[in-house]
Amino acid sequence: MTSNQRQRYQQIILSHARKPQHKGKTNPIHRQNQGENPYCGDKVDLTLMLDETETKIEDIKFEGAGCALCLASADLMAGAVKGKDISAALLMVEDFRNMVMGETEFKAPLEKLNIMQSVAQFPMRVKCVTLAWHTLKGALDGEKQS
Ligand code: ZN
């Protein structure tokens, strides 16, 4: 990665952290889950609204506190899975984990998510960027138990 690229990624992360596009709570709330990363103090409170067949994520919002990486990742995640089928979103959770580890990359229009790969060399930071995705998985898996 060039230093120019690194700078551009940094700007994208900061702008999503400062001005998240998916902040708040969905109305109504069909699925909800909270995630915490005690190593950094990150917290994410995720709410989802599903379609009437409960197979598609109609809307997704988050509230949270934490570092810029965590909040930017939550905002990018919400944007990526909004309007997607639950099954597709769960696959994206897997893809995201593999992408952070450098094993795969997202293709357009999701290539923005690849910027989170730049943290793979810092294990503590990996927890920051994967928190929202783990929380999403928990929210969607919860469906099976009820
Ligand atoms: Zn963090």
Side-chain angles (χ1 to χ4, degrees), residues 99-142:
M99 180 278 292
V100 170
M101 295 306 165
E103 287 159 16
T104 182
E105 287 205 333
F106 282 98
K107 296 184 174 63
L110 296 173
E111 74 276 12
K112 221 180 183 184
L113 295 173
N114 294 328
I115 64 174
M116 294 302 173
Q117 205 174 78
S118 59
V119 307
Q121 49 192 316
F122 311 107
M124 285 297 149
R125 307 269 89 180
V126 169
K127 290 185 193 298
C128 297
V129 302
T130 53
L131 175 65
W133 292 86
H134 286 310
T135 310
L136 171 68
K137 189 173 192 303
L140 296 176
D141 283 347

Side-chain angles (χ1 to χ4, degrees), residues 37 40 42 67 70 125 128:
N37 169 22
C40 179
D42 304 319
C67 66
C70 166
R125 307 269 89 180
C128 297

Side-chain angles (χ1 to χ4, degrees), residues 1 4 15 21 24-25 41 44 52 57 63-65 74-75 80 98-99 101 103 106 110 128-129 141 143-145:
M1 200 190 312
N4 262 350
S15 82
Q21 287 153 23
K25 281 185 165 29
V44 170
E52 65 251 9
I57 300 169
E63 284 180 345
D75 199 45
N98 293 335
M99 180 278 292
M101 295 306 165
E103 287 159 16
F106 282 98
L110 296 173
C128 297
V129 302
D141 283 347
E143 159 194 43
K144 288 170 198 151
Q145 293 156 11

